[in-house]
Amino acid sequence: MTYIDGFLLAVPTARKDDYFALAQKMVPYFKDLGALSVTECWGDDVPDGEVTSFPMAVKLQEDETVVFSWTVWPSKEVRDAAWKKMMEDENMMPDDMPFDGKRMIYGGFVPVVEA
């Protein structure tokens, strides 16, 4: 059964091109580690909420846009092995990240419905 890593983050709108350049660079890296697919989505219709919302979750600032992304792995075991390799790779992420990683929300998910 597949396994999904999901991510929600705030990216400075002025750094959209920087973010997507990094994302495109990471796709082959993830695929080499076994990922089946990587999807990056730039917020287009992401309303503020009264109790909770995507913008509230990432503490979105006025000059930022919500990004929602996910990576599909063939199994949790493949994902876990990939994450271990990524965490050991000193070159995985650039020094100048185009977003604030402290406000990134992420997690692993077991699909219960796939259609």
Side-chain angles (χ1 to χ4, degrees), residues 32-44:
D32 284 346
L33 292 173
L36 300 174
S37 66
V38 177
T39 303
E40 297 281 348
C41 304
W42 189 256
D44 178 59

Side-chain angles (χ1 to χ4, degrees), residues 15-62:
R15 297 208 58 194
K16 179 180 181 178
D17 291 341
D18 296 334
Y19 179 80
F20 281 110
L22 174 62
Q24 288 174 343
K25 177 182 172 184
M26 296 307 295
V27 169
Y29 183 80
F30 280 28
K31 288 199 166 196
D32 284 346
L33 292 173
L36 300 174
S37 66
V38 177
T39 303
E40 297 281 348
C41 304
W42 189 256
D44 178 59
D45 183 13
V46 186
D48 290 322
E50 290 183 30
V51 177
T52 190
S53 66
F54 283 141
M56 291 169 73
V58 296
K59 298 183 179 183
L60 192 72
Q61 297 174 13
E62 191 173 313

Side-chain angles (χ1 to χ4, degrees), residues 78-94:
V78 171
R79 177 267 203 169
D80 288 349
W83 273 96
K84 184 177 184 319
K85 288 179 184 174
M86 285 187 273
M87 293 300 110
E88 294 170 353
D89 185 351
E90 296 175 5
N91 299 314
M92 189 185 120
M93 289 293 175

